[in-house]
Amino acid sequence: MDKEILINVESGEKRAAILKQGRLEEFYLERPQDKTIVGNIYKGKIEAILPSIGGAFVDIGLLKKGFLYISDIEDLYESDQAAQAPLEIKKGQEILVQVVKESFGTKGPRISCHIGIAGRYLVLMPQDKQIGISRRIEDDTERKRLRQIFKELRLPSNVGFIVRTAACGKTKQELARDAIFLIKLWTRAEKISKRQKAPSLVYEEYDLVLRTVRDSFTDDVSKLIIDSKPEYYRIQRFVSTFLRYLSGRVEFYRGEDLFMEKAVEKQINQIFETKIYLKSKAYLVIEPTEGLVVIDVNSGGYKRNIDQEEAAFKVNCEAAVEAAHQLKLRDLGGIIVIDFIDMAREGHRREVLNVLKKALNTDKAKFDIVGISKFGVVEMTRERVHNTVQTLSYQLCPYCQGKGKVKSPLTTSIQAMKELKKYLKLNRVRELKLTLNPQVANEITKNRQGLRDIERQYRVRINLIPDSNLHLEIVSISS
């Protein structure tokens, strides 16, 4: 057991870090104003239907309308054996939906009619009567054992369940307790939905602390350490109900700074770096854009007495493992393109792809890989559900507005001379102030003759004023 869960609670945020042998494997952040709505169930009202894109906008009581695929409603309707009337979807219709994807940019949350309430070992599917087993449980004997347990349990026949990976090896009593708890949650949500008008919230998903305990506090975790006494007691109550055998592994931290003491803070800061260096001195460049994520592999300072093909293969194998780790750590999703160093041998390309797939198998998020091209480019998708840590922690730079670059002092100095001429053509003055960032002012001073020529041409005296508080790209002209 070489895994630890650290939870830091402050007045403005909650953070959870999962470490394996001291290395940060997963990191989650939640703030009151940015609390996730994924998993919440709402009673919504259809606001608009767009047949051209096969979707509908649903008012669920939030600033942005939820987007629902019409096929979701049709699938649900078709699965209802009692339904006899023809399907009709209309504006103003009330509908029960669950948020499956967070809002991104200008897009509202993605919602679905296929509702699932997650427990420790099971996911309750109220509209589905099937029993499904997680694909990650690969052992056929264990799969048969779990199915047999569900045949023996006396559970309502009008709901279905998905057996989670955490259920592997659990007893009939443990699974029954989880199932009964989830059924009670759904019964309460149903009562609320019947009582309240749309739009309204009928079921709220756990916050970060309890989600982490439910989803990540598994048998291979040696310790769960938390630095908040109220949250410590809250976790103990939760654990005593569902994970009594793990209660001895929950610890309350009495020190000053949990993350600093465990050397986690430095690792968290690296999440926001563009360059990630590997042990071989090669590095990755990670650039998330609005449409996709690009990861570029560079050999950097890699030096070994082997031929170019072998060197590229070694670096790419190391980079594949790190790329998978960074995707999980940063929770990057959508379309992802990884540009590996070119390799001539087909066998090397296949092996790098296999290394990447194997590294991704530990990821809880769903992924799909198209393959690797002869140029070493891998195209893949990764499930994106929550806003990334970077989105929650950073805003657009007020200087560059997201470009990631600012004009050089020389470029701004040339622009300043142009604006100066333009100003003097429209305004006849005898004296004016040209205020610039000191670096830009220095560039103009290097070419003082250009400023004198303008003074002579327009018969004006120009006072050059350096101002260190001024943005590098700002040119201020005043008379």
Side-chain angles (χ1 to χ4, degrees):
M1 293 187 295
D2 53 4
K3 286 178 72 174
E4 285 186 335
I5 297 175
L6 310 179
I7 301 176
N8 164 235
V9 179
E10 304 287 348
S11 58
E13 69 178 11
K14 296 174 182 178
R15 301 187 298 170
I18 300 173
L19 282 73
K20 188 173 183 179
Q21 295 179 336
R23 187 191 190 203
L24 187 63
E25 289 288 311
E26 298 176 51
F27 177 68
Y28 303 101
L29 171 70
E30 186 172 271
R31 292 170 178 163
Q33 66 273 26
D34 298 315
K35 190 175 179 182
T36 182
I37 58 170
V38 172
N40 288 2
I41 301 172
Y42 295 88
K43 186 178 184 179
K45 184 183 290 185
I46 296 178
E47 285 283 301
I49 300 167
L50 293 87
S52 58
I53 59 173
F57 287 106
V58 181
D59 182 7
I60 56 176
L62 304 177
L63 288 175
K64 294 177 182 176
K65 303 292 186 289
F67 181 77
L68 174 69
Y69 284 110
I70 293 173
S71 58
D72 260 21
I73 309 173
E74 292 171 343
D75 291 345
L76 191 66
Y77 185 86
E78 287 170 8
S79 66
D80 184 358
Q81 300 297 320
Q84 299 295 327
L87 176 62
E88 184 182 5
I89 304 168
K90 55 186 179 181
K91 183 178 178 181
Q93 182 178 335
E94 292 186 347
I95 191 167
L96 209 60
V97 294
Q98 185 171 38
V99 177
V100 294
K101 190 180 287 188
E102 207 81 63
S103 299
F104 288 102
T106 57
K107 296 178 181 177
R110 165 88 165 79
I111 56 178
S112 173
C113 291
H114 297 280
I115 291 167
I117 302 178
R120 171 64 179 173
Y121 307 121
L122 309 169
V123 178
L124 172 68
M125 309 295 286
Q127 292 105 344
D128 194 340
K129 299 172 186 178
Q130 303 289 325
I131 301 296
I133 310 286
S134 169
R135 291 180 182 177
R136 292 182 184 268
I137 301 176
E138 296 178 349
D139 185 80
D140 288 337
T141 305
E142 179 62 14
R143 294 178 72 89
K144 288 176 183 176
R145 185 187 75 87
L146 290 168
R147 287 195 181 277
Q148 184 59 38
I149 286 175
F150 268 87
K151 286 179 181 178
E152 295 170 6
L153 291 176
R154 294 182 179 179
L155 298 172
S157 59
N158 60 339
V159 296
F161 288 93
I162 294 174
V163 181
R164 304 182 75 181
T165 312
C168 194
K170 300 307 170 188
T171 64
K172 179 180 178 180
Q173 290 74 18
E174 288 173 309
L175 297 180
R177 186 169 62 231
D178 205 29
I180 292 166
F181 174 74
L182 291 174
I183 290 167
K184 285 180 181 178
L185 284 181
W186 171 241
T187 303
R188 186 170 67 183
E190 272 192 310
K191 288 178 180 177
I192 293 171
S193 69
K194 289 174 183 176
R195 191 169 62 242
Q196 293 186 351
K197 292 183 178 179
S200 61
L201 174 68
V202 299
Y203 170 78
E204 188 171 19
E205 172 64 303
Y206 289 140
D207 69 341
L208 176 64
V209 173
L210 292 188
R211 279 203 320 274
T212 302
V213 176
R214 181 191 69 193
D215 299 336
S216 302
F217 194 22
T218 49
D219 295 351
D220 60 342
V221 175
S222 59
K223 289 180 184 178
L224 186 154
I225 308 172
I226 185 162
D227 60 8
S228 163
K229 190 163 279 189
E231 292 292 346
Y232 168 75
Y233 290 130
R234 188 164 162 248
I235 288 174
Q236 284 288 16
R237 287 193 296 271
F238 183 88
V239 168
S240 64
T241 304
F242 300 104
L243 309 163
R244 191 181 297 274
Y245 70 101
L246 292 176
S247 60
R249 300 183 194 177
V250 181
E251 295 183 10
F252 172 60
Y253 176 75
R254 300 178 185 278
E256 292 296 321
D257 192 324
L258 174 60
F259 277 27
M260 194 67 73
E261 185 179 311
K262 292 286 186 176
V264 177
E265 210 68 66
K266 185 179 179 181
Q267 295 186 63
I268 291 171
N269 291 334
Q270 289 175 346
I271 293 174
F272 309 111
E273 297 292 332
T274 301
K275 283 186 179 180
I276 299 295
Y277 286 90
L278 309 176
K279 288 180 181 178
S280 63
K281 294 186 179 179
Y283 62 91
L284 307 179
V285 178
I286 304 173
E287 292 283 0
T289 70
E290 192 167 331
L292 52 82
V293 176
V294 178
I295 301 177
D296 186 35
V297 181
N298 291 278
S299 57
Y302 181 86
K303 290 180 181 178
R304 283 198 185 175
N305 294 325
I306 53 177
D307 64 50
Q308 188 176 344
E309 174 71 15
E310 284 298 323
F313 175 63
K314 295 285 185 185
V315 170
N316 284 339
C317 286
E318 187 184 8
V321 175
E322 186 60 32
H325 175 247
Q326 291 295 327
L327 290 174
K328 181 169 68 171
L329 184 58
R330 300 174 186 226
D331 198 18
L332 297 172
I335 299 170
I336 298 159
V337 175
I338 307 175
D339 184 11
F340 289 102
I341 301 168
D342 289 353
M343 295 172 291
R345 296 180 196 169
E346 175 64 26
H348 280 171
R349 290 197 292 269
R350 282 199 306 269
E351 182 58 27
V352 168
L353 189 64
N354 289 336
V355 170
L356 178 64
K357 287 179 178 178
K358 186 178 178 181
L360 285 166
N361 281 336
T362 60
D363 196 344
K364 294 175 186 175
K366 295 175 184 175
F367 66 89
D368 185 30
I369 299 179
V370 173
I372 185 167
S373 73
K374 66 177 182 179
F375 302 114
V377 176
V378 170
E379 296 173 53
M380 61 173 288
T381 60
R382 183 178 181 273
E383 181 184 34
R384 180 167 58 187
V385 175
H386 301 282
N387 283 316
T388 64
V389 174
Q390 187 163 357
T391 304
L392 296 171
S393 304
Y394 282 74
Q395 64 177 27
L396 281 180
C397 170
Y399 284 162
C400 72
Q401 293 299 313
K403 294 195 297 288
K405 295 180 176 67
V406 292
K407 291 177 182 175
S408 68
L410 179 58
T411 302
T412 307
S413 70
I414 295 168
Q415 180 188 336
M417 300 298 273
K418 290 178 181 177
E419 290 190 18
L420 195 57
K421 289 178 183 178
K422 192 185 296 183
Y423 180 87
L424 290 169
K425 282 179 182 178
L426 299 174
N427 302 278
R428 290 192 174 185
V429 294
R430 292 188 176 183
E431 188 173 355
L432 59 75
K433 295 176 183 177
L434 177 60
T435 309
L436 302 164
N437 181 280
Q439 294 180 58
V440 181
N442 184 52
E443 289 293 337
I444 289 179
T445 304
K446 288 179 185 177
N447 184 25
R448 189 77 192 184
Q449 186 58 47
L451 204 60
R452 287 174 183 157
D453 290 344
I454 294 175
E455 285 181 319
R456 192 163 46 250
Q457 181 182 351
Y458 293 98
R459 297 179 182 180
V460 63
R461 182 179 177 181
I462 300 171
N463 297 311
L464 186 60
I465 303 171
D467 184 352
S468 58
N469 294 319
L470 210 61
H471 185 295
L472 196 66
E473 295 181 348
I474 296 295
V475 176
S476 176
I477 303 171
S478 59
S479 54

